[in-house]
Amino acid sequence: MVEHRASSAETPVTTITGVSIQFLGASSGIVTGSKYLVSAPGMNILVDCGLFQGDKRSRALNWEAPPVNVPDIDLVLLTHGHLDHTGFLPRLVNLGFKGRILATGPTLNVTGIILKDTAKIQEEDAERANRRGYSSHKPAQPLYDLKDVERTLKLFDEVTEGEWTTLAPTIKVRFQSVGHIIGATFIELDISGERIVFSGDIGRQEDILLYTPKRPERADVLLIESTYGDRVHGSQADTVLQLAEVINETFSRGGSLFIPSFAVERTQLLMFVIWRLLGEKRIPDIPVVIDSPMGVSVLDLFHHSRTWHKLDPEECTRMCAHFHRTMRFQETLRFRKDNEPKIVIAGSGMVTGGRILNYLEYRAGNTNDTLLFVGYQAQGTKGRALLEGATTLRVYGKVVPFKMQVRRIDGLSAHGDQRDLLWWLELVKDPPRNVFIVHGEKDAALAFQKLLLEQRGWVAELPALNQQVKIS
Ligand SMILES: [Zn+2]
């Protein structure tokens, strides 16, 4: 995995003539850190600029400069706003990137919200680590701060979904919606008539909240995600039923339900499903707390981006009014102490930071409470450890016993399963010359590689981290 990394810290971007792609993240079984550098004559384009998340070794990669000369990168294209696709941007700017950052309007908005939140969390974590003295770095530093984020936001440039944009005489790009989250797209990059398709993260064929993904019709070179390349999700009806069961079982024990959720991934979907369950009286009328300032900001974005989702504006307003939305940290401290049964949806989605940790610090030993996972948990995260049966939890430098009930519902994931991935490729009739499977743990990527060969006869590669491949 990490050992594939090239040792040279600063090699020129273009070392191969023609067009090449270098896999600077989300490769070698690593899901996070999506970054693909396309080097074409006269232009170097970075597609996605994600943060590495998960275990210490992965996170350490964020502190290293990528093995390219960053000022040589002309442009960044973003598939969507998630941290593992955008969270490295302020660091890229600090390393000398001065070009434009292109994406759809909602993606740029989501990215802005996420980057500001990340900078704040990093500054707070560094400050806390220094105060309590548990960091191995002395003094602990944030990877970037709010000022770095402000400089990054100035480079944002909005594109229109579904329309080609010319980048250079022989290079054009199109962003088309792909479900997953609001504003998310796949990217088609045409260079001298050759088409490179970057899938980004592919949503579900049938999503309660978002429209069916558009699909590519042609690809000479394809990079496809494989997060759930080895899995089939349950139906959405089953998923809603499972959620009702978890809520009811927790309530009957007199406990509270805590749901770590990505602010932009599932918080709005969870709200919508819970709202429907309340309306149908399939769950008791217990308080629901949305403890995620970022989730609240994204909810506002839903109001302003109506063509991107199925939520009726009036229903959205009624739903929001029903839930308790927490902005102030003082409220978090109050909610975590009171024993009234409730549902709390709080970030971060993989329990790597955010307010969910403030709740767990206090409630981890409570056997009546339930911790429910509704999204992907990367290797090395606290979420993954708890899902796999950890009996202790490290919070803010101290170890606490963990006795909560743990449940998991995969069907609410924003990622398509292996059937969705195959469906997404159906319109591509001619086999691409190169297929690269990225953004998946090794087992998922290998399973999807096998499936592509069996179902389509396509031979796909699993690129290594930092590998550079000549494609024309
Ligand atoms: Zn994503």
Side-chain angles (χ1 to χ4, degrees):
M1 297 183 30
V2 178
E3 46 271 31
H4 290 290
R5 191 178 170 78
S7 54
S8 153
E10 283 204 0
T11 45
V13 165
T14 311
T15 52
I16 301 179
T17 53
V19 181
S20 70
I21 299 185
Q22 190 169 10
F23 298 85
L24 299 172
S27 314
S28 296
I30 298 173
V31 178
T32 58
S34 280
K35 287 179 213 82
Y36 313 108
L37 183 66
V38 179
S39 301
M43 192 169 245
N44 299 305
I45 301 166
L46 187 67
V47 178
D48 283 340
C49 190
L51 205 65
F52 288 102
Q53 296 168 275
D55 59 24
K56 255 189 182 171
R57 227 158 50 134
S58 298
R59 281 181 282 133
L61 290 173
N62 296 318
W63 289 92
E64 295 177 25
V68 297
N69 191 30
V70 171
D72 286 351
I73 300 172
D74 299 292
L75 200 63
V76 174
L77 313 174
L78 301 176
T79 58
H80 66 290
H82 272 153
L83 189 64
D84 61 325
H85 293 255
T86 62
F88 195 77
L89 282 170
R91 178 106 169 95
L92 197 78
V93 171
N94 283 345
L95 290 167
F97 174 73
K98 292 190 170 61
R100 289 181 301 152
I101 299 167
L102 267 59
T104 64
T107 291
L108 294 177
N109 286 324
V110 168
T111 305
I113 293 168
I114 285 193
L115 292 183
K116 282 183 197 162
D117 185 73
T118 306
K120 211 170 122 235
I121 288 173
Q122 289 186 38
E123 287 179 68
E124 283 170 7
D125 282 353
E127 188 272 327
R128 189 184 295 110
N130 287 329
R131 188 160 31 86
R132 297 196 191 176
Y134 62 78
S135 170
S136 51
H137 304 275
K138 304 257 180 313
Q141 299 272 357
L143 187 64
Y144 48 81
D145 59 23
L146 276 170
K147 277 196 204 113
D148 301 321
V149 172
E150 292 300 338
R151 284 164 61 210
T152 306
L153 301 188
K154 290 198 174 88
L155 306 176
F156 281 10
D157 200 351
E158 183 177 338
V159 295
T160 306
E161 190 274 339
E163 286 182 12
W164 286 100
T165 304
T166 301
L167 303 176
T170 57
I171 306 177
K172 57 181 183 169
V173 68
R174 181 166 66 173
F175 297 69
Q176 297 211 72
S177 68
V178 74
H180 186 56
I181 62 166
I182 194 163
T185 56
F186 66 97
I187 292 178
E188 296 163 299
L189 188 62
D190 273 20
I191 303 178
S192 305
E194 293 265 299
R195 182 163 300 173
I196 313 171
V197 174
F198 299 85
S199 74
D201 289 359
I202 300 169
R204 319 273 306 262
Q205 273 179 73
E206 310 230 342
D207 191 285
I208 296 172
L209 203 54
L210 302 173
Y211 293 110
T212 303
K214 291 185 184 174
R215 297 185 281 176
E217 294 177 353
R218 196 195 124 200
D220 297 302
V221 176
L222 169 72
L223 277 76
I224 182 154
E225 68 121 328
S226 57
T227 318
Y228 287 118
D230 58 347
R231 234 167 278 180
V232 174
H233 297 321
S235 76
Q236 296 226 315
D238 289 347
T239 303
V240 172
L241 199 69
Q242 283 170 20
L243 182 64
E245 277 172 14
V246 174
I247 293 170
N248 286 323
E249 117 199 346
T250 307
F251 183 68
S252 65
R253 277 199 308 269
S256 288
L257 175 65
F258 296 89
I259 312 179
S261 176
F262 300 95
V264 211
E265 186 182 329
R266 299 290 86 177
T267 298
Q268 296 77 25
L269 175 62
L270 276 167
M271 286 175 70
F272 187 50
V273 173
I274 292 169
W275 167 249
R276 285 208 325 208
L277 289 172
L278 282 166
E280 292 164 10
K281 304 209 181 315
R282 289 162 73 186
I283 56 172
D285 192 7
I286 47 180
V288 184
V289 179
I290 312 297
D291 195 340
S292 165
M294 191 165 44
V296 174
S297 307
V298 175
L299 210 51
D300 291 339
L301 192 59
F302 266 69
H303 279 297
H304 297 121
S305 312
R306 291 184 188 167
T307 57
W308 284 87
H309 62 83
K310 300 175 187 169
L311 257 188
D312 170 75
E314 279 174 28
E315 186 162 25
C316 194
T317 307
R318 282 205 309 277
M319 178 179 87
C320 294
H322 185 83
F323 292 163
H324 188 96
R325 290 174 289 154
T326 307
M327 295 299 278
R328 290 171 55 244
F329 186 56
Q330 257 56 34
E331 287 183 284
T332 302
L333 297 180
R334 181 162 61 79
F335 279 129
R336 75 174 187 175
K337 275 188 195 163
D338 84 52
N339 280 324
E340 186 195 5
K342 58 185 145 337
I343 300 170
V344 177
I345 303 173
S348 70
M350 298 193 224
V351 199
T352 47
R355 294 206 179 161
I356 193 75
L357 278 182
N358 299 110
Y359 286 98
L360 294 187
E361 182 182 23
Y362 200 82
R363 309 281 293 226
N366 193 343
T367 50
N368 286 339
D369 289 343
T370 304
L371 185 64
L372 170 65
F373 291 102
V374 295
Y376 175 75
Q377 304 298 309
Q379 267 172 351
T381 58
K382 289 186 173 72
R384 179 67 162 259
L386 294 174
L387 197 55
E388 291 179 346
T391 53
T392 57
L393 173 70
R394 195 174 179 83
V395 199
Y396 303 134
K398 68 180 178 204
V399 176
V400 294
F402 180 82
K403 294 178 183 165
M404 293 166 87
Q405 310 296 316
V406 175
R407 297 284 181 275
R408 163 196 193 158
I409 300 178
D410 271 344
L412 287 172
S413 170
H415 285 274
D417 62 13
Q418 59 176 215
R419 286 175 311 190
D420 295 314
L421 297 180
L422 285 174
W423 166 85
W424 191 74
L425 291 171
E426 256 173 23
L427 304 181
V428 180
K429 298 297 176 204
D430 296 329
R433 204 174 51 241
N434 299 86
V435 179
F436 300 104
I437 296 176
V438 293
H439 201 288
E441 287 180 12
K442 206 165 178 194
D443 288 348
L446 285 170
F448 194 61
Q449 183 186 41
K450 191 161 165 266
L451 202 64
L452 269 186
L453 187 64
E454 285 167 3
Q455 303 278 319
R456 302 296 307 265
W458 295 0
V459 178
E461 294 175 57
L462 274 52
L465 187 61
N466 292 331
Q467 185 183 345
Q468 189 174 25
V469 181
K470 187 175 180 337
I471 54 166
S472 72

